[in-house]
Amino acid sequence: MPLLSNNNKYCYVMDMEVRDYELDFEGIVNNANYLHYMEHTRHRFCEDAGLSFKEMLEQGIVAVVRKIEVEYHSSLRSGDRFVSGLRIERKGARFVFYQDIVRPDGEMCAKGVVTVVSLHDGKLTRGEELAKAFGKYIK
Amino acid sequence: MPLLSNNNKYCYVMDMEVRDYELDFEGIVNNANYLHYMEHTRHRFCEDAGLSFKEMLEQGIVAVVRKIEVEYHSSLRSGDRFVSGLRIERKGARFVFYQDIVRPDGEMCAKGVVTVVSLHDGKLTRGEELAKAFGKYIK
Amino acid sequence: MPLLSNNNKYCYVMDMEVRDYELDFEGIVNNANYLHYMEHTRHRFCEDAGLSFKEMLEQGIVAVVRKIEVEYHSSLRSGDRFVSGLRIERKGARFVFYQDIVRPDGEMCAKGVVTVVSLHDGKLTRGEELAKAFGKYIK
Amino acid sequence: MPLLSNNNKYCYVMDMEVRDYELDFEGIVNNANYLHYMEHTRHRFCEDAGLSFKEMLEQGIVAVVRKIEVEYHSSLRSGDRFVSGLRIERKGARFVFYQDIVRPDGEMCAKGVVTVVSLHDGKLTRGEELAKAFGKYIK
C-alpha cells in the first residue's frame, strides 16, 4: 500500500526512497536527483496511462521537456522514504505536470512544475496523442 | 583559450563538453545533467571568488539552493562542446545566478535561474559572507 | 512479495526496476548504474543487519570498497524489473560481497564481486565491527 | 598542456577534475563515477582513433563492455584534478583497456581493466573494425 493513498490532489503517486549514492557531501540529496525522481514518476505515470515514450519515438513523436521549475523546501537525507505525486493540466499545446516530493508525514520536500510539449519530426504538434492518453487525468 | 571570451554578459564562463554517459535513450543530454553542468560552474566560480563550500560547511554555514528554473531550448548531443556562463544578482538575502548553456556558435541550449540562500546552523542569514565574496561580481 | 523469494543462494534480495534516466543512447542501462544498484543493495542489507554507514562514520570507522569486478551478461532495458541479490564471505580483514542482478525469469544480467574493508581513522582494521553485524549471514 | 605528458605507458591521456556532484556523503568520489571517468576517456580515445560509437551503431555494430575490474587505491575529493590514462591490448575477439586514474603527483587513485567485444546484429564478431581503428595503438 502506498505511503500516501491516491487522493483528489494527485492523479498518480508512487513511493520511493533515498539511495545513498544520491547524497552529496553535505549529506543531503543533490538537487539534480529530484529531477530524476520526478522524471521516473512521469514515465511510470505515462506507462500507467498507456503511453510509451519508446513507442512514441518509433512513430517519430518525441515528448520534450521545455521548462522545469523546482522549489526546494526540506532536504531529503539517507534512509528517507518519500512519496512522489503528480497531477497534470493541459494549456494549449503544453502539458504541465505539477509534481510534489513529500515525506510520509506530509512535509513538503520539493515542488516541481514541468512543462512538456510533443514534437513530430522536430515540429511542435498540438499534442493530440498526449491528450488522448492523458485525457481522463486532466481536469 | 575559452570558446567564448569572458564578456560583459557573464562574470564567469567555462568550456565543457558532453560525456556520453550523460545522454539518454533519445541520444540527447538528460535534463537533470544541465543542473550538474550549472552546479559545477557555480562551484568553480565560487572557488574563483575565493569561496569554498567546504570551508563554509566547517563554519556551520551552508549555501542552499532554494529554487531552480531551467528553460530548455536546443538539446546537447554526443560530441558537443559548449560554454557554461553565469552572472549573479543579489536580492535581499537571496543570490540569484543567471546561467546559460550555449553552443560555441552562440545558439542557446538552456537558460537557468538558480536562487541560493545561506543558512547558519539552519537559520536564514542575510548572506553577508556570500556578499563579501561575490561583491565585485554583483552589478 | 519479492520477485524472487529469499533462498539459500542469497542472504539478501530486493526488487528493483530500471529508471529511464539510467539508460544510455543505445537504450541499455549504462554500466556504471549496475554499481549504483549493487551499492544500494549493500546499504539496504547493512541497514537490515543493523549496521549504519552513517553511525560508523560518526565513530571514525569507514567501510571502504577496495575492488569491484562486474561481468555483464544481458543488458537491462527500459521497463525491466529485476532482482538484486547478495551473499557475503569474510576473508581475513576483507568482506567479499557476491552480488547478482537477475531478471525475474532467472536470466543473469550482471555478476559483481565487491571487496570491502573497514578503516578506523584511516588505518585498516580487522573488521570486527563489520563481522559482528554480518556474522549471522556469513557461512 | 596535459598534467601528465603522453608517455610510453599510455596511448591516451586526458586531464579531468572532480565535480562536487560526484562526491558522496563521506566527501569522496562515489565508486561508480570512476566508471564514468573511464568511459569518457575510452570514448574520447575512440574519437581520436577515428572510431565513433554512434557510426558503429548505425552499421549495426555495438561495442559492448563484458567485464570491468576496478581497484580503488586513494580516494579523489572535492577540488582534485587528475589524469585519466589508458592503454589497450587485443586478446582474440576481446579488447582490453588498462585504465589508470592518477593524481598529478603520480599517486594512483584507481586502476581499471575493461574488456570490450563488438557485436554485429547481436552476434560476437572477431572485432576487425575495432582492430583497424585501434591497430596503431596496440602493442
Side-chain angles (χ1 to χ4, degrees):
Chain A
M1 191 166 41
L3 294 172
L4 191 75
S5 59
N6 197 328
N7 61 18
N8 287 336
K9 202 172 169 188
Y10 302 113
C11 58
Y12 189 79
V13 294
M14 64 180 288
D15 295 343
M16 300 183 81
E17 63 180 350
V18 171
R19 300 177 179 180
D20 285 346
Y21 63 80
E22 295 164 342
L23 303 175
D24 64 17
F25 66 98
E26 294 176 353
I28 58 178
V29 170
N30 181 277
N31 299 310
N33 286 312
Y34 292 83
L35 295 203
H36 282 160
Y37 298 155
M38 292 179 186
E39 179 191 294
H40 185 52
T41 310
R42 285 197 310 280
H43 287 208
R44 281 275 297 259
F45 164 69
C46 289
E47 199 185 339
D48 235 53
L51 191 73
S52 157
F53 285 125
K54 202 177 149 197
E55 281 173 23
M56 279 173 60
L57 192 59
E58 286 160 6
Q59 296 165 33
I61 300 170
V62 187
V64 176
V65 171
R66 273 288 179 246
K67 192 175 179 184
I68 283 177
E69 295 171 74
V70 183
E71 283 176 18
Y72 298 94
H73 294 255
S74 166
S75 297
L76 289 167
R77 292 172 183 279
S78 183
D80 282 353
R81 291 170 183 273
F82 57 95
V83 178
S84 176
L86 66 79
R87 64 184 179 81
I88 181 170
E89 282 183 11
R90 186 181 186 182
K91 297 186 176 178
R94 292 173 295 134
F95 294 83
V96 183
F97 292 88
Y98 296 88
Q99 303 198 239
D100 292 345
I101 303 290
V102 192
R103 279 180 215 282
D105 66 2
E107 190 184 0
M108 186 64 63
C109 297
K111 289 182 82 67
V113 182
V114 180
T115 304
V116 172
V117 296
S118 81
L119 306 180
H120 188 260
D121 295 335
K123 284 181 197 157
L124 185 68
T125 74
R126 295 184 55 215
E128 294 308 334
E129 61 298 316
L130 292 179
K132 210 165 62 181
F134 296 152
K136 60 184 167 190
Y137 302 101
I138 296 175
K139 284 162 193 174
Chain B
M1 192 167 41
L3 294 172
L4 192 74
S5 59
N6 198 327
N7 59 20
N8 287 335
K9 202 171 169 189
Y10 302 114
C11 58
Y12 188 79
V13 294
M14 65 181 288
D15 296 342
M16 300 183 80
E17 64 181 348
V18 171
R19 299 177 179 180
D20 284 347
Y21 63 80
E22 295 165 341
L23 303 175
D24 64 17
F25 67 99
E26 294 176 352
I28 58 178
V29 170
N30 182 276
N31 299 310
N33 287 312
Y34 292 83
L35 294 203
H36 282 160
Y37 299 155
M38 292 177 186
E39 179 191 293
H40 185 51
T41 309
R42 284 196 311 281
H43 287 209
R44 280 276 297 259
F45 163 70
C46 289
E47 199 184 339
D48 236 54
L51 191 75
S52 157
F53 285 125
K54 205 177 149 195
E55 281 173 23
M56 280 172 58
L57 191 59
E58 285 160 9
Q59 296 166 34
I61 301 170
V62 187
V64 176
V65 171
R66 271 290 178 245
K67 191 176 181 183
I68 283 176
E69 296 171 74
V70 184
E71 283 176 17
Y72 298 94
H73 294 255
S74 166
S75 298
L76 289 168
R77 293 171 183 278
S78 182
D80 282 352
R81 290 169 183 275
F82 58 94
V83 178
S84 177
L86 65 77
R87 64 186 179 82
I88 182 169
E89 282 183 12
R90 186 179 186 183
K91 297 184 176 181
R94 291 173 295 133
F95 294 84
V96 183
F97 292 88
Y98 295 89
Q99 302 196 241
D100 293 344
I101 303 289
V102 192
R103 278 181 217 284
D105 66 2
E107 191 184 359
M108 186 65 63
C109 297
K111 290 182 82 67
V113 183
V114 179
T115 304
V116 172
V117 296
S118 82
L119 307 180
H120 188 259
D121 294 336
K123 283 181 197 157
L124 186 67
T125 73
R126 297 182 54 214
E128 294 307 335
E129 60 300 311
L130 292 179
K132 210 165 63 181
F134 296 152
K136 60 183 167 190
Y137 302 102
I138 296 176
K139 288 162 192 174
Chain C
M1 190 168 41
L3 294 171
L4 192 75
S5 58
N6 199 329
N7 60 18
N8 287 337
K9 201 171 169 188
Y10 302 114
C11 58
Y12 189 78
V13 294
M14 65 180 288
D15 296 343
M16 299 183 81
E17 64 180 348
V18 171
R19 299 178 178 179
D20 285 346
Y21 64 79
E22 296 165 342
L23 303 176
D24 64 18
F25 66 98
E26 294 177 353
I28 57 178
V29 170
N30 181 276
N31 298 311
N33 286 312
Y34 292 83
L35 295 204
H36 282 160
Y37 299 155
M38 292 178 184
E39 180 193 292
H40 185 53
T41 308
R42 285 197 309 281
H43 287 208
R44 280 276 297 260
F45 164 69
C46 288
E47 198 185 340
D48 235 55
L51 191 73
S52 158
F53 285 125
K54 206 177 146 194
E55 281 173 23
M56 280 172 59
L57 192 59
E58 285 159 7
Q59 296 164 33
I61 300 170
V62 187
V64 176
V65 171
R66 273 288 180 245
K67 192 176 180 184
I68 283 177
E69 296 172 73
V70 183
E71 282 177 17
Y72 298 94
H73 294 255
S74 167
S75 297
L76 288 167
R77 292 172 183 277
S78 182
D80 282 353
R81 290 171 183 274
F82 58 93
V83 178
S84 177
L86 65 76
R87 63 185 180 80
I88 181 171
E89 282 183 10
R90 186 181 187 182
K91 297 185 176 178
R94 292 174 294 134
F95 293 83
V96 183
F97 291 88
Y98 296 88
Q99 302 197 239
D100 292 345
I101 303 289
V102 192
R103 279 180 216 283
D105 66 4
E107 189 184 359
M108 187 63 65
C109 297
K111 290 182 81 69
V113 183
V114 179
T115 305
V116 173
V117 296
S118 82
L119 305 181
H120 188 258
D121 294 334
K123 283 181 197 157
L124 186 68
T125 73
R126 294 183 55 214
E128 294 307 336
E129 62 298 312
L130 293 180
K132 208 164 64 180
F134 295 151
K136 60 184 168 189
Y137 302 101
I138 295 175
K139 285 161 194 174
Chain D
M1 193 167 40
L3 295 171
L4 192 75
S5 59
N6 198 330
N7 60 18
N8 288 335
K9 201 171 170 188
Y10 302 114
C11 57
Y12 189 79
V13 293
M14 64 182 287
D15 296 343
M16 300 183 80
E17 63 179 350
V18 171
R19 299 177 179 180
D20 284 346
Y21 63 80
E22 297 165 341
L23 302 176
D24 64 17
F25 66 99
E26 293 177 354
I28 57 177
V29 170
N30 181 276
N31 299 311
N33 286 313
Y34 292 83
L35 295 202
H36 282 161
Y37 299 155
M38 291 177 186
E39 180 192 292
H40 185 51
T41 309
R42 285 197 309 281
H43 287 209
R44 280 276 299 258
F45 164 68
C46 288
E47 199 185 338
D48 235 54
L51 191 75
S52 157
F53 285 126
K54 205 177 147 195
E55 282 173 23
M56 280 172 59
L57 192 59
E58 284 160 8
Q59 297 164 32
I61 300 169
V62 187
V64 177
V65 171
R66 272 288 179 247
K67 192 175 181 183
I68 283 177
E69 296 171 74
V70 183
E71 283 177 18
Y72 298 94
H73 294 255
S74 167
S75 297
L76 288 167
R77 293 172 182 276
S78 183
D80 282 353
R81 290 171 183 274
F82 58 94
V83 178
S84 177
L86 65 77
R87 63 184 180 83
I88 181 171
E89 283 183 11
R90 186 180 185 180
K91 297 184 177 179
R94 292 175 295 133
F95 294 83
V96 183
F97 291 87
Y98 295 89
Q99 304 195 239
D100 292 346
I101 303 289
V102 192
R103 279 181 216 281
D105 67 2
E107 190 184 0
M108 186 64 63
C109 297
K111 291 181 82 67
V113 183
V114 179
T115 305
V116 172
V117 297
S118 81
L119 306 180
H120 188 257
D121 295 334
K123 284 182 196 157
L124 186 67
T125 72
R126 297 183 53 217
E128 294 307 336
E129 62 298 312
L130 292 180
K132 210 165 60 180
F134 296 151
K136 59 184 169 189
Y137 303 101
I138 296 175
K139 286 161 192 175

